Amino acid sequence: TGMASLSLRIDLDRQGRIGPGKIALLEEIAAAGSISGAARGMDMSYKRAWDLVEEMNRIFGKPVVAAKAGARRGGGAELTPAGAALVRRFR
């Protein structure tokens, strides 16, 4: 038999939820250094990933992901202190 698992979802308001999928996206962004890399790693479209980031920014009233200035290959993205704190607190 398989092991039981527990999944946590936090309903913040009628339009806002934070659950394991959004937290996993933030963790992927931190690891990949970009939203597009995180989206590829999660087999998700870039638009879907961007929409989820924008939703989290709206829910918390501050950015959870920020653009990172880049060199030759362009920039990327990184978690803001608020985004990193969100991941820590959720986990």
Side-chain angles (χ1 to χ4, degrees):
T1 66
M3 290 191 55
S5 66
L6 174 66
S7 179
L8 176 68
R9 184 185 81 196
I10 302 169
D11 294 326
L12 299 167
D13 62 28
R14 280 191 252 174
Q15 287 82 33
R17 294 184 175 118
I18 296 296
K22 288 177 183 157
I23 296 300
L25 175 60
L26 291 177
E27 291 170 331
E28 280 288 324
I29 290 169
S34 72
I35 295 173
S36 61
R40 280 190 302 276
M42 295 182 74
D43 197 26
M44 167 187 305
S45 74
Y46 174 79
K47 180 177 179 350
R48 176 71 177 141
W50 182 252
D51 287 346
L52 290 171
V53 167
E54 286 293 306
E55 182 181 339
M56 287 185 278
N57 289 343
R58 180 193 57 78
I59 290 169
F60 291 100
K62 62 176 84 172
V64 296
V65 174
K68 182 170 59 174
R72 281 190 329 195
R73 295 179 51 222
E78 61 189 357
L79 300 187
T80 63
L86 173 60
V87 171
R88 278 193 314 276
R89 289 179 179 149
F90 187 88
R91 292 292 179 209

